[in-house]
Amino acid sequence: MALTKADMAERLFEEVGLNKREAKELVECFFEEIRTALEEGTSVKLSGFGNFDLRDKSERPGRNPKTGEEIPISARRVVTFRPGQKLKSRVEAYAGSSEQ
Amino acid sequence: MTKSELIELIASKQQHLAYKDVELAVKTLLEHMSESLATGQRIEIRGFGSFSLHHRPPRIGRNPKTGEPVALPGKYVPHFKPGKQLRQRVNGEHQAGR
């Protein structure tokens, strides 16, 4: 089972003492403010977790994999996530159940 | 934008909450997310994206100074895939219903 916003709100209710409505709103607000910053072209750096950066990609040739037809992939801006050192070392230690 | 700027921004929008509570809440959220990935559990946030682990197989590396081969064990690395709404908003595609 994946971690969801509902799980995060539940944790804020238990550990921070926000009521259920406040907890739900806070989780929503957290992700919305990150989206808004990125939408405005601002990268987001969360120390200990990682950085959300923006990259501008130029147009490149692509292909419809079904028909083999050549179609250009238009220039676009994309989000990339670079995990921080702390998160990387915590994850690296995960022995894995080989399901991921 | 840094973590403390994000905390200030959220506190300014959630005026009924004390700044200290917002600060603790944001730190708790990030810890919860890190903890989830550290135990191999993916994270799925609709409209934002998903975080999962990608496996890196074991390989033979080299000590750059001596050129000596070093066996490197396999490992997991965090991976983020942006969700549709985030992808569209960042790319300036304004969609209804966001």
Side-chain angles (χ1 to χ4, degrees):
Chain A
M1 263 302 283
L3 184 75
T4 63
K5 288 192 289 187
D7 301 321
M8 296 185 206
E10 182 63 25
R11 171 81 58 108
L12 295 183
F13 168 71
E14 287 166 6
E15 283 190 12
V16 182
L18 303 186
N19 69 37
K20 300 242 179 180
R21 186 181 45 81
E22 290 167 340
K24 190 167 175 251
E25 264 182 40
L26 196 129
V27 172
E28 205 55 65
C29 189
F30 172 81
F31 289 109
E32 178 53 26
E33 292 308 328
I34 296 176
R35 273 193 299 250
T36 303
L38 293 169
E39 177 177 26
E40 288 167 353
T42 307
S43 59
V44 179
K45 302 181 185 302
L46 304 174
S47 71
F49 186 73
N51 298 347
F52 295 94
D53 293 321
L54 295 161
R55 292 184 64 174
D56 288 309
K57 312 260 241 181
S58 39
E59 183 182 288
R60 61 191 169 95
R63 211 174 261 286
N64 179 329
K66 275 210 186 102
T67 63
E69 189 192 351
E70 267 201 57
I71 328 161
I73 297 169
S74 57
R76 61 192 63 202
R77 176 172 282 183
V78 297
V79 180
T80 60
F81 175 69
R82 290 199 48 148
Q85 197 48 57
K86 196 172 153 199
L87 178 62
K88 275 203 274 190
S89 29
R90 284 178 75 174
V91 162
E92 205 167 309
Y94 173 65
S97 55
S98 72
E99 50 158 345
Q100 284 263 1
Chain B
M1 181 166 77
T2 61
K3 196 195 304 184
S4 48
E5 287 164 347
L6 175 62
I7 292 168
E8 277 172 37
L9 197 54
I10 297 174
S12 75
K13 308 225 162 153
Q14 305 283 316
Q15 297 246 348
H16 53 288
L17 298 180
Y19 179 87
K20 278 276 160 213
D21 287 345
V22 174
E23 190 179 28
L24 180 60
V26 168
K27 291 181 175 169
T28 304
L29 282 180
L30 291 170
E31 171 54 30
H32 198 184
M33 292 167 74
S34 301
E35 179 191 300
S36 176
L37 292 173
T39 56
Q41 185 189 33
R42 20 184 306 122
I43 305 170
E44 284 177 13
I45 311 295
R46 176 160 313 169
F48 184 81
S50 60
F51 296 85
S52 59
L53 300 186
H54 280 186
H55 186 245
R56 296 279 175 266
R59 62 189 180 90
I60 306 293
R62 264 176 208 288
N63 180 327
K65 274 208 186 109
T66 63
E68 213 177 310
V70 194
L72 297 171
K75 63 174 184 179
Y76 284 89
V77 293
H79 176 78
F80 175 67
K81 182 167 186 257
K84 188 173 178 192
Q85 189 200 142
L86 179 59
R87 276 202 317 271
Q88 291 178 333
R89 284 174 62 177
V90 159
N91 198 33
E93 303 163 44
H94 294 276
Q95 295 273 324
R98 62 174 224 219

